[in-house]
Structures are given as C-alpha cells and as structure tokens.
C-alpha cells in the first residue's frame, strides 16, 4: 500500500517548517536517516506507535512566481487536500486568528479530510489561556503545541496516528516478484505496463480482493508470479496533477520500498533528469534490483553507434548504478519489450543469490594476495575472513583487525571483484567490516 501522507499547512511564519523538523527529528525513529540523494527537506518518513507515514511541509513547495501570497497559500492547501490522508493545520497561538487563517480553514472544512488544528508557539502553560479562541475555526481536534520546545507534539502525533487509514499491506506469496515501474510523468510507464500485460503468454491474475486490486496488478508468465506495484495512479491517469513533482516522487518512493525490482523508465528522447537520478538513488539505497528501461527508442534517430553513445551517457549520469542492465525499448512498436520479463527474472535471481563461504574466501585470499591493504600507523590492515550474511540485496561481512580504517576505495574494489567473478547483475551489494583479532 502507498504510505499514508500527512500534510502540514498554514500561512507563512506560523512555524510549519519548525514543526516539520521537530516531527522529522529526534523523538521519532527516522526510517531514512541517511545522507544521500533523496534527502529532501520537503518530506520525511516517520514512525509513531508502530505506524509509518510520510510528512510533507507544503510551505516548502516551490512557489509559483506568478502567484500572489494568497493564491500561493490556496494552491498549497489544495495540493495538501488532494494528496494527503491527514492534514495538520498550523496557526500562531500567540497572534490569534487572522483573515488568512479563516480562508485556509474554509477550504479545509469543505475537504472532508481529517484536519488537526495545531496552535503553535504555545511555549508554556500560561500561554494556553489565549488559545481557546481557535476552537472558533470549527475543528474538533485542537492541540496546543510548541514546535520549538516540543511541548504537546507527542499528543499531536497520537492524534495524527489515530486518523491514519488502516491499510494492511497485502503479503504476496514468497515466490512472487514485486516490480515497481518508476519514472517521470509521460516517460511511458503505463504504456510499458500495458504492453507487457498484453503479451500472449501473460495472464493477468484475477485475484479476488478489495483494496489491493485497485492498486497492484498481479500477473503470471509461464507459471511464474509477478506483480506490478502501485499501478493505480499509473494505469488510469489520476485526477491529481502529476506535474506536482513531489507527489509523483512520494508515490515512487513508497512503491520502491515494497518492490524487489524497479523498472526505471526513461524517455530516450528527453534523456535523464535530476528526478530520475534521485529516484534511482533511492532504489539503490533501499537495496532494490534496478533495470534501466530506455523507452520511446522508436523516436530516436540512430545509426550503429547510437546505442553505445546512449549507454555511455547513462553510465556517466547514473554512475552509482553501473550494475543495472539497460534495455532500449519502444512501448509503441513493441520493440524488445519481451526482454523486460526475462531481465526481471535474471535480476531478481541475482539479488537472491548466495555465495558459499568457501567460494567467497577463496576469492578473498586471491584478491588480497594480489592487492594487499595498506598499513595504518605501521601495522598492516588485515581482512581475515568473509561471509555472505543475507540476500535481497546480497550482504557481505568481512572481519578485519581495523574495520574502521578500511578505505572506501577498497570497499569499492572488493565490490568490483565480487561482480567480476560472480555477476550480481542489476542488484546493489552491501559490504560491511567487523572487528576481529
Ligand atoms: P513557516 O513559515 O510556517 O514554515 O514558519 P517557520 O517554521 O519558518 O517559523 C517562523 C518563525 O516562528 C521562526 O522565527 C521560528 O523560530 C518561530 N517559531 C516556530 N515555532 C515556534 C514555537 O513553537 N515557539 C516560538 N516562540 N516560536 C516559534
Ligand atoms: P506515463 O505517464 O509514464 O505512464 O506515460 P504514458 O504511458 O502515458 O505515455 C506518455 C505518452 O508517451 C503517451 O502519449 C504515449 O502514447 C507515448 N509513448 C509511450 N511509449 C512510447 C514509445 O515507446 N514511443 C513513442 N513514440 N511514444 C510513446
């Protein structure tokens, strides 16, 4: 299921981004607490009382230069209404109700979405006395909070969680390969999905069920089970304006989290954009299999070098996923679309591959013999032994006398050797070092 979205709205200066940072911050277990390409201040994944959701600071949406302040607020509020499951409406508890607050409140009341009113800047109990007038705005759930010192934010989170939709994640059979089709609007995601499903040997499963049918598309090919994840918004064009970049990114992120393999669909004619790189970076960090699908290949004028030139550019722009296979296809003509399923099979198998410990250590001994590690403070760094601890993605632990001193470039070198000898096409690898000796 897509992760529930909680939007923070309100006029400027009431403390939306302070609240966002507070909710994204220390008191909550942060799921994606990694520096990296996807670390955008606009949205953050949180967990509270065992529920996982994404908070969005709509105040951080890129302003449209044509908008007047009010129009901008209106637009941001509308985006929140269209895309979120719960809305936190922030007002300034010290200043009292302003005309802008009334305007936003009117829009929210008509929306039928659960709205929680947060009277912010109520930094101590004495200030609470002024805040009761805010009940006039007409919302039942009113919380006095201080985004700056955290007062009341636990209760606010309890209220948020209470309104989150109860979406149980449907668990597919163990051998089902879950595929997320990701990419920018208009790259051809729905055309690719329809092409694959339209092939003769594909049987679209008629699984009985309620909600999951609406969002995922299960199918079988020659007895093997697959499911395209979160296709609801892709297959029938959703009413939400896909040009709202953050929304399509949010959808993609939660689809990636549920997937085994991601099809990264790119319009060959348009090329790779910043957003593609961000999303690919997220799939990589999450340890998912990745296939780069260069679609609309029919539109590209080409000679016998074109494909190689494209590959070079892709490898340069997406250098952190140099292990991902690249397919040049056309959903329009059907060219090479049949290669998609076989590539998904291959990548899913590589991501589940397990190396025997003996084989891994034979490799290690050979590699270290020819490329010894440097010394640190006169003492040689040693890697004694390695083992593959898990799959999906393949994860290796190597034991060393100085695990913290092993340079990033040596890790990269080990990864390259693993790939050279054992393949692992299309899957990220994780390599860790632990202390021993
Ligand atoms: P936004 O425009 O709604 O995102 O508001 P900001 O988060 O940027 O905050 C606007 C101003 O209000 C900043 O100077 C904050 O430091 C201040 N502020 C935010 N939350 C609180 C709070 O709980 N108490 C007090 N006293 N000030 C706050
Ligand atoms: P989505 O927004 O990523 O799902 O993209 P769509 O599948 O809706 O495709 C967007 C547009 O590109 C539509 O007009 C499609 O007909 C067109 N399109 C999709 N795939 C191809 C292709 O391989 N070649 C060409 N020429 N057009 C394509």
């Amino acid at each position: 299921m897509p992760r529930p979205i909680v939007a923070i709205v309100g006029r400027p200066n009431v403390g939306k981004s302070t609240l966002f940072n507070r909710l994204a911050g220390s008191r909550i277990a942060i799921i994606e607490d990694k520096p990296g390409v996807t670390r955008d201040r606009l949205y953050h994944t949180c967990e509270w009382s065992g529920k996982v959701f994404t908070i969005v600071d709509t105040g951080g949406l890129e302003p449209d230069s044509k908008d007047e302040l009010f129009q901008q607020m209106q637009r941001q509020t509308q985006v929140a209404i269209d895309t979120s499951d719960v809305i936190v409406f922030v007002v300034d508890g010290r200043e009292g109700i302003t005309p802008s607050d009334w305007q936003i409140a009117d829009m929210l009341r008509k929306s039928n979405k659960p709205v929680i009113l947060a009277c912010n800047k109520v930094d101590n109990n004495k200030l609470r006395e002024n805040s009761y007038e805010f009940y006039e705005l007409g919302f039942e759930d009113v919380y006095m909070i201080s985004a700056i010192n955290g007062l009341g934010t636990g209760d606010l989170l309890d209220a948020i969680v209470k309104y989150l939709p109860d979406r149980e994640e449907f668990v597919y059979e163990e051998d089902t390969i879950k595929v997320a089709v990701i990419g920018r609007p208009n790259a051809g995601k729905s055309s690719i999905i329809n092409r694959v499903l339209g092939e003769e040997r594909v049987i679209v499963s008629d699984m009985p069920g309620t909600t999951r049918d609406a969002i995922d598309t299960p199918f079988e090919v020659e007895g093997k089970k697959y499911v395209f994840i979160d296709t609801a918004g892709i297959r029938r064009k959703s009413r939400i304006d896909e040009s709202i970049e953050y929304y399509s990114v949010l959808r993609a992120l939660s689809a990636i989290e549920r997937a085994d393999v991601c099809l990264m669909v790119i319009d060959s004619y348009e090329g790779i954009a910043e957003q593609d790189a961000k999303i690919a970076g997220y799939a990589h960090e999450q340890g998912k299999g990745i296939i780069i699908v260069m679609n609309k290949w029919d539109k590209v004028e080409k000679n016998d070098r074109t494909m190689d030139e494209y590959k070079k550019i892709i490898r340069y722009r997406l250098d952190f996923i140099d292990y991902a296979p690249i397919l040049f296809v056309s959903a329009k003509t059907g060219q090479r679309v049949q290669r998609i399923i076989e590539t998904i099979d291959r990548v899913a198998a590589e991501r589940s591959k397990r190396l025997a410990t003996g084989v891994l250590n034979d490799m290690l001994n050979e590699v270290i013999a020819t490329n010894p590690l440097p010394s640190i403070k006169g003492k040689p760094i040693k890697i004694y032994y390695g083992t593959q601890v898990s799959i999906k993605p393949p994860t290796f632990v190597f034991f060393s006398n100085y695990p913290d001193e092993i340079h990033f470039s040596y890790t990269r070198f080990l990864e390259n050797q693993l790939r050279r000898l054992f393949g692992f096409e299309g899957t990220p690898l994780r390599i860790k070092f632990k202390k021993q000796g």
Side-chain angles (χ1 to χ4, degrees):
M1 296 288 116
R3 234 176 1 223
I5 296 173
V6 176
I8 303 177
V9 303
R11 64 185 169 82
N13 262 324
V14 291
K16 292 184 298 301
S17 59
T18 310
L19 178 62
F20 174 85
N21 287 327
R22 159 79 44 191
L23 297 184
S26 54
R27 297 195 48 191
I28 314 169
I30 300 168
I31 310 279
E32 303 151 14
D33 192 16
K34 277 196 227 104
V37 271
T38 52
R39 201 66 196 277
D40 226 308
R41 292 318 298 161
L42 210 54
Y43 43 85
H44 213 291
T45 304
C46 297
E47 186 182 339
W48 185 259
S49 298
K51 289 217 187 175
V52 180
F53 54 95
T54 301
I55 47 169
V56 183
D57 177 8
T58 59
L61 291 178
E62 70 283 24
D64 188 329
S65 54
K66 296 189 299 290
D67 286 357
E68 298 291 322
L69 188 62
F70 173 62
Q71 282 167 340
Q72 198 176 308
M73 258 166 30
Q74 213 175 12
R75 199 171 73 92
Q76 288 166 355
T77 306
Q78 194 56 50
V79 170
I81 291 169
D82 288 345
T83 61
S84 61
D85 298 287
V86 178
I87 296 168
V88 177
F89 175 26
V90 185
V91 294
D92 186 328
R94 294 184 177 184
E95 224 179 291
I97 303 174
T98 69
S100 303
D101 292 334
W102 279 113
Q103 282 160 334
I104 295 174
D106 286 341
M107 285 179 75
L108 293 177
R109 256 188 270 104
K110 287 185 202 130
S111 74
N112 287 324
K113 286 278 162 93
V115 175
I116 299 165
L117 182 67
C119 303
N120 189 34
K121 310 196 185 179
V122 182
D123 298 341
N124 56 56
N125 282 331
K126 200 160 175 307
L127 287 164
R128 294 177 82 95
E129 292 157 22
N130 313 326
S131 318
Y132 295 104
E133 67 161 294
F134 288 102
Y135 281 92
E136 280 175 39
L137 287 169
F139 301 102
E140 263 174 51
D141 291 274
V142 180
Y143 289 84
M144 313 295 167
I145 65 161
S146 169
I148 275 199
N149 69 26
L151 205 73
T153 51
D155 290 342
L156 177 68
L157 281 161
D158 288 341
I160 291 172
V161 165
K162 198 177 72 189
Y163 283 114
L164 293 178
D166 236 338
R167 291 179 187 149
E168 292 273 317
E169 180 163 325
F170 183 75
V171 183
Y172 290 97
E173 283 170 72
E174 178 66 24
D175 55 353
T176 305
I177 301 178
K178 290 173 277 179
V179 182
V181 181
I182 54 184
R184 276 182 294 153
N186 279 322
K189 297 181 294 299
S190 77
S191 306
I192 297 254
I193 290 172
N194 289 333
R195 260 287 174 184
V196 170
L197 296 180
E199 280 188 40
E200 259 170 66
R201 53 200 186 114
V202 176
I203 307 163
V204 179
S205 316
D206 192 14
M207 290 174 62
T210 46
T211 46
R212 71 178 175 276
D213 281 350
I215 125 154
D216 294 344
T217 308
F219 62 99
E220 287 184 22
V221 183
E222 288 156 12
K224 279 184 287 183
K225 301 186 200 69
Y226 307 82
V227 56
F228 283 132
I229 297 278
D230 194 3
T231 44
I234 304 176
R235 296 189 71 198
R236 357 184 181 83
K237 291 292 171 187
S238 61
R239 104 202 130 77
I240 294 156
D241 183 1
E242 281 269 350
S243 69
I244 301 166
E245 177 181 321
Y246 98 83
Y247 184 68
S248 56
V249 173
L250 280 182
R251 278 304 274 266
L253 299 190
S254 86
I256 290 168
E257 283 169 23
R258 295 177 58 218
D260 298 305
V261 176
C262 302
L263 293 187
M264 176 91 225
V265 180
I266 293 168
D267 182 336
S268 304
Y269 197 73
E270 299 279 332
I272 297 163
E274 193 51 40
Q275 187 182 327
D276 295 321
K278 266 191 193 180
I279 290 181
Y282 191 73
H284 170 80
E285 283 180 2
Q286 293 284 311
K288 305 302 183 175
I290 307 174
I291 299 166
I292 300 169
V293 180
M294 298 303 289
N295 188 35
K296 308 198 188 180
W297 194 237
D298 60 282
K299 271 176 87 178
V300 175
E301 235 186 90
K302 40 194 171 288
N303 57 36
D304 55 354
R305 287 191 312 275
T306 313
M307 208 179 264
D308 283 337
E309 283 160 7
Y310 265 74
K311 278 186 185 159
K312 240 183 237 160
I313 295 168
I314 297 161
R315 291 301 181 212
Y316 175 76
R317 292 274 292 146
L318 302 174
D319 59 344
F320 51 94
I321 51 163
D322 56 3
Y323 50 79
I326 305 172
L327 297 175
F328 293 89
V329 310
S330 166
K332 187 177 173 190
T333 68
Q335 190 189 19
R336 278 187 291 270
V337 167
Q338 86 288 349
R339 299 259 313 264
I340 291 177
I341 290 290
E342 61 191 56
T343 310
I344 289 172
D345 284 345
R346 214 167 61 233
V347 167
E350 292 294 287
R351 187 166 169 267
S352 313
K353 192 156 79 181
R354 211 181 264 284
L355 295 186
T357 301
V359 172
L360 179 64
N361 285 287
D362 287 348
M363 173 213 111
L364 188 65
N365 291 336
E366 202 181 302
V367 162
I368 292 179
T370 46
N371 293 275
L373 286 98
S375 295
I376 168 91
K377 293 168 203 130
K379 292 187 182 167
I381 302 183
K382 292 204 153 92
I383 298 176
Y384 301 111
Y385 172 82
T387 181
Q388 181 175 350
V389 292
S390 59
I391 57 170
K392 298 185 176 184
T395 303
F396 300 89
V397 170
F398 292 99
F399 293 92
S400 165
N401 53 346
Y402 294 108
D404 301 331
E405 303 292 343
I406 293 168
H407 196 260
F408 165 77
S409 59
Y410 205 84
T411 310
R412 183 77 202 177
F413 168 72
L414 277 180
E415 176 174 344
N416 289 340
Q417 298 309 310
L418 282 167
R419 290 190 187 283
R420 186 174 62 81
L421 291 165
F422 306 113
F424 292 116
E425 185 191 21
T427 179
L429 299 180
R430 296 208 167 127
I431 295 178
K432 299 170 184 170
F433 296 97
K434 285 206 170 135
K435 174 85 181 163
Q436 190 174 77

